[in-house]
Structures are given as C-alpha cells and as structure tokens.
C-alpha cells in the first residue's frame, strides 16, 4: 500500500539571541539545564529555546547557527516557545531584532511584496501590513505589474510607502504576539 509522503520539515538554520540565562532550566524540555537561550529563527520567525554549549558566550541580538551540522555554540534546539512564555527582557528585545531580520533579509521580504495575493475577494494580503490601505495596495499592485520591486528604496520611490521595514516588522510582531489571527510571515 502506498502512503503519501509528508514534505520534509523545515528547520531554522540561523537564529538571533533575544535573551539567555547562563544557569537556566529549560521550560520546554524537563530536566535540561545549562545555558538556556531564547532566540528567534531568521527564516520562519519562530521563537525558540536553545541549549548553549557550556562556557559559550552569547550577546543579545547575535546571529547564531542552529542548523543540523557544524554548530559551534549550540548543543541543541530544545523547542518552540510561545510569546507569553519568554522573559520580559526577551519580549523587549524582540521588536529590535525583528527589525534587524527584516532589514538583513530585504530580498526575501521584497519578494513577498511582489508575490502577495488576495486572501479573500474583499481583502488582499498586502492590506494586513500596517500602513497599507486600499490606496497604497492599489498603487503597489499597479507598479509591480509594470516591474517587480527590487528593494525597499524602490518601493518607497515608486509607491511613496514610507518606512517599509518598520511596517513589515510591526506586522511580524502582531503575528508573534498573537494579535493577528492570520499569519503572513510567521510559520507555526
């Protein structure tokens, strides 16, 4: 009997440190102790709990490799975390780190803006980004029809949409904090 194969699970390769406790106890895996790091994945924007290699040092906002092979500072990824369960200092660092991710991965987010589609007959995915209403959405769709956007600067120049990094970051924060029921960027 043939069974359909589920697609391979996608794992984060890199994450950014939001907080760490050099002598912490895991909240996701019972009995795990050590350097407990709270991080956000770069690609899927997942909040993660990570176990650091003993005697490793971490900096807030630091990009760390958490992929399967060749880790230098990370023993293991312990699991996903909910926003409500991360420390208040991790919560306060999150907006800055998210903005860095949106800035450092410009091509990925510009590509999203170039490919975003209607979600229902009445609402387009672009409209879920703060600052984009019907007028900006219509202009963005017309402009990307002529030529795909190449950068945030290109978007600002052609559409007049100011501070795209800030607005995309706001949307991601809404998704992470649970203030949005529909996720565009955060993969659960």
């Amino acid at each position: 009997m043939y069974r359909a194969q589920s697609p391979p699970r996608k794992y984060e390769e890199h994450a950014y440190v939001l907080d760490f406790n050099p002598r912490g106890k895991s909240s996701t895996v019972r009995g795990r102790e050590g350097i407990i790091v709270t991080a956000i994945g770069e690609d899927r924007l997942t909040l993660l709990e990570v176990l650091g290699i003993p005697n490793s040092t971490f900096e807030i906002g630091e990009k760390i490799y958490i992929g399967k092979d060749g880790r230098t500072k990370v023993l293991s990824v312990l699991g996903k975390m909910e926003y409500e369960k991360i420390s208040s200092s991790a919560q306060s660092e999150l907006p800055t780190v998210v903005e860095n991710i949106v800035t450092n991965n410009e091509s990925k987010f510009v590509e999203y803006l170039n490919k975003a589609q209607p979600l229902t007959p009445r609402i387009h995915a672009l409209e879920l980004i703060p600052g984009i209403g019907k007028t900006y959405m219509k202009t963005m769709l017309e402009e990307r029809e002529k030529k795909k956007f190449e950068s945030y600067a290109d978007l600002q120049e052609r559409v007049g949409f100011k501070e795209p990094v800030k607005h995309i970051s706001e949307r991601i924060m809404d998704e992470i904090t649970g203030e949005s029921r529909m996720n565009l960027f955060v993969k659960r």
Side-chain angles (χ1 to χ4, degrees), residues 129-146:
I129 298 170
I132 298 180
K134 297 272 185 219
T135 308
Y136 272 129
M137 180 203 61
K138 190 172 179 289
T139 309
M140 285 173 81
L141 294 175
E142 288 167 0
E143 283 298 318
R144 82 177 189 190
E145 198 65 36
K146 295 175 197 169

Side-chain angles (χ1 to χ4, degrees), residues 21 54 63 176:
N21 183 345
K63 184 177 178 176
I176 290 171

Side-chain angles (χ1 to χ4, degrees), residues 3-175:
R3 281 183 26 191
Q5 293 253 297
S6 59
R9 285 180 65 181
K10 292 218 189 303
Y11 292 98
E12 296 280 5
E13 291 287 312
H14 293 93
Y16 289 81
V17 176
L18 297 172
D19 193 13
F20 60 93
N21 183 345
R23 289 183 211 80
K25 289 180 188 259
S26 170
S27 62
T28 56
V29 179
R30 241 175 44 184
R32 294 306 290 263
E33 295 180 11
I35 304 172
I36 301 295
V37 179
T38 303
I40 181 170
E42 180 176 52
D43 189 41
R44 302 174 69 77
L45 302 164
T46 312
L47 293 175
L48 301 167
E49 186 175 64
V50 175
L51 181 61
I53 292 175
N55 301 321
S56 294
T57 57
F58 294 91
E59 299 286 325
I60 302 298
E62 173 186 1
K63 184 177 178 176
I64 55 174
Y65 178 72
I66 61 169
K68 292 277 182 219
D69 302 314
R71 294 177 181 158
T72 55
K73 296 175 87 170
V74 172
L75 227 86
S76 66
V77 176
L78 300 173
K80 291 182 182 181
M81 296 187 76
E82 294 298 318
Y83 178 76
E84 299 76 32
K85 300 267 196 279
I86 66 174
S87 69
S88 58
S89 57
Q91 288 180 2
S92 67
E93 293 295 335
L94 191 58
T96 307
V97 172
V98 165
E99 212 162 286
N100 287 341
I101 291 171
V102 174
T103 302
N104 296 339
N105 294 279
E106 182 173 4
S107 59
K108 171 185 166 181
F109 290 100
V110 170
E111 179 73 8
Y112 174 82
L113 297 174
N114 282 326
K115 290 184 172 180
Q117 295 295 312
L119 299 170
T120 70
R122 289 184 173 206
I123 192 158
H124 196 283
L126 292 173
E127 291 178 271
L128 296 181
I129 298 170
I132 298 180
K134 297 272 185 219
T135 308
Y136 272 129
M137 180 203 61
K138 190 172 179 289
T139 309
M140 285 173 81
L141 294 175
E142 288 167 0
E143 283 298 318
R144 82 177 189 190
E145 198 65 36
K146 295 175 197 169
K147 182 180 172 224
K148 299 282 185 213
F149 297 111
E150 294 173 9
S151 65
Y152 294 138
D154 183 33
L155 172 69
Q156 275 183 268
E157 212 171 274
R158 290 168 44 200
V159 178
F161 184 59
K162 305 255 187 288
E163 302 182 71
V165 169
K166 180 180 149 245
H167 294 294
I168 293 168
S169 299
E170 274 179 53
R171 176 62 202 184
I172 292 168
M173 284 301 301
D174 288 348
E175 292 179 27

